[in-house]
Amino acid sequence: MRLIAARTHTGAAQATGLEAAYEHCRDLTRREAKNFYYGFSLLPDMQRRAIYAAYAFARQADDIVDSDLPPAEAAAQLAAYQSALDACLDGEPEGPVFRALFHAVSKYDIPPRHLYELLEGCRTDITCNRYETFDDLRDYCSQVASSVGLISIAIFGYRGGERARRYAADLGVALQLTNILRDVREDAERGRIYLPRDEMEWFGFTEDDLLAGRTSREFRHFMAYQTGRARDYFRQGRRLLPLLPARPRACVGVMAGIYGAILDDIERHPAVILRERVSISTGHKLALAGRELVRAVAG
C-alpha cells in the first residue's frame, strides 16, 4: 500500500511539475508574443499549451542570437541549447521549457527535424548578416519560420498531406518576410540586413540609403516589389486554412490577418519602416480574432 501511495504521490508531483512548466511557457508567450498570442488564445486548451511550449523553445533560441554576445559565445550557448534539446528528446528534459516541450512532442508526434531546423536558422544569424539573393533569404526563412509552421500543424492536425505542409511552409515565409520589412531599420542598426543584395542593387537602393532613412522613387519601387512577393506567399499560405480543424483555422487566420494588416500598412506607407516599427492596435487585433473565430465556426 505504501508503495502504491508513493507512486501516486510521485505521479502527482510530476503532473504538478508539468503544469508549472506549461504555465512558465504561457507567461513567456503572453509577455513576448504580442501578435501571435491573440491567435493562440483561440485554440483548445491542450493545443494551446503545446503551442506555448513550441513558442517558448523558439523564443529562447532567438534570444541567444539577439543578445549581442560575441559570435563565439553566442555559438557556444546555442550549441549548449541544442544539447539540451538532444537530452529533451532522449527523455531527459531540463528546465520548464524543455519539460513542456518533451510532453508536447510526445503527445502530438512533432517531427524533431523541425526543431533542429529552427536552431540551424538561429545559427545562421550568428554567422551571416547579409543575403546575396532571395533564394538565400528564402532558405533562411524556411529554417526559422516554415519550421514553426510545420511544428504548429503537427499540433493542430490537418488534412491534405504534403499540400498542407507546403502551404504551412509558405505561410511561414510570408510572416517572416513581413517581419523583415517591419524590423528593417532595427535590424540594420544591429548590423543585419535581411534584404536581397542583388535586388537592392537592381532597384538602386543602397545600404547607405537604408541607414540614413532616405526615401526615393527607387526605394518605393524596391518596396513595392518586396511587399508584392510577401503578398504572393500569403496567398499561397492562406490555402492552408480549409485544411485545418475549426479552431486552429481561426488561430492561423488571426495570425495571417495581423501580419497581413502590417503588410498593408507598409504597402501604403513604405517610408515608415525607415523611421519606426509598424504595428497595429490591440483593438484591431481583437477584432481580427473575433472575425476569424466567427468564420471558423460558420465554415
Side-chain angles (χ1 to χ4, degrees):
M1 182 67 70
R2 283 194 299 271
L3 180 60
I4 294 173
R7 286 177 176 170
T8 301
H9 177 74
T10 299
Q14 288 173 343
T16 301
L18 181 60
E19 290 298 322
Y22 273 123
E23 286 295 305
H24 174 87
C25 294
R26 184 200 66 180
D27 291 345
L28 188 156
T29 305
R30 183 166 52 189
R31 185 173 66 249
E32 303 292 345
K34 304 244 182 342
N35 289 324
F36 290 152
Y37 193 78
Y38 292 89
F40 295 166
S41 66
L42 301 178
L43 293 169
D45 288 347
M46 292 302 297
Q47 290 183 351
R48 184 166 63 245
R49 297 200 317 170
I51 285 289
Y52 290 159
Y55 176 86
F57 165 75
R59 181 69 195 202
Q60 287 191 157
D62 196 51
D63 285 347
I64 291 171
V65 300
D66 281 346
S67 59
D68 296 326
L69 292 169
E73 188 174 344
Q77 288 200 15
L78 193 62
Y81 195 65
Q82 181 163 323
S83 295
L85 175 61
D86 295 338
C88 169
L89 296 175
D90 284 340
E92 298 179 357
E94 289 290 334
V97 171
F98 283 112
R99 283 197 292 274
L101 184 67
F102 174 70
H103 184 262
V105 168
S106 302
K107 180 174 180 58
Y108 292 103
D109 198 24
I110 298 169
R113 69 180 181 277
H114 300 321
L115 301 168
Y116 287 104
E117 285 165 359
L118 189 148
L119 294 186
E120 191 58 37
C122 290
R123 190 170 290 109
T124 299
D125 271 330
I126 299 172
T127 60
C128 178
N129 58 20
R130 298 293 189 279
Y131 290 86
E132 190 62 35
T133 69
F134 178 69
D135 286 346
D136 298 331
L137 181 63
R138 184 180 55 209
D139 289 345
Y140 167 76
C141 292
S142 295
Q143 290 174 329
V144 297
S146 295
S147 60
V148 176
L150 293 166
I151 290 166
S152 298
I153 64 170
I155 294 169
F156 297 158
Y158 59 94
R159 57 189 180 83
E162 182 56 34
R163 187 162 51 100
R165 291 188 288 273
R166 185 171 67 252
Y167 296 152
D170 285 342
L171 186 56
V173 172
L175 299 179
Q176 188 64 22
L177 291 177
T178 304
N179 269 341
I180 286 168
L181 296 176
R182 182 195 65 184
D183 299 343
V184 67
R185 181 174 180 83
E186 180 181 325
D187 287 332
E189 289 172 348
R190 299 175 67 133
R192 297 176 185 168
I193 296 179
Y194 297 94
L195 300 171
R197 184 146 43 186
D198 63 343
E199 294 176 2
M200 292 178 70
E201 183 176 346
W202 181 25
F203 282 97
F205 177 63
T206 69
E207 291 188 10
D208 287 343
D209 293 331
L210 170 57
L211 293 169
R214 287 194 290 265
T215 60
S216 63
R217 182 181 63 182
E218 289 79 9
F219 165 74
R220 290 191 295 274
H221 289 169
F222 173 76
M223 286 300 298
Y225 189 78
Q226 302 304 313
T227 56
R229 178 164 53 207
R231 188 74 63 199
D232 288 342
Y233 273 97
F234 270 114
R235 276 193 287 269
Q236 282 294 105
R238 278 187 169 275
R239 295 183 179 184
L240 172 66
L241 297 181
L243 304 177
L244 298 175
R247 289 175 67 179
R249 187 188 318 142
C251 169
V252 175
V254 168
M255 292 188 288
I258 288 172
Y259 277 82
I262 291 170
L263 188 63
D264 289 342
D265 283 351
I266 294 172
E267 213 165 24
R268 283 192 295 267
H269 308 290
V272 73
I273 68 167
L274 300 181
R275 299 191 303 269
E276 61 191 37
R277 173 188 281 207
V278 176
S279 63
I280 64 174
S281 70
T282 299
H284 193 172
K285 293 173 186 177
L286 290 170
L288 284 168
R291 185 189 71 189
E292 293 297 334
L293 184 58
V294 169
R295 283 181 175 177
V297 171

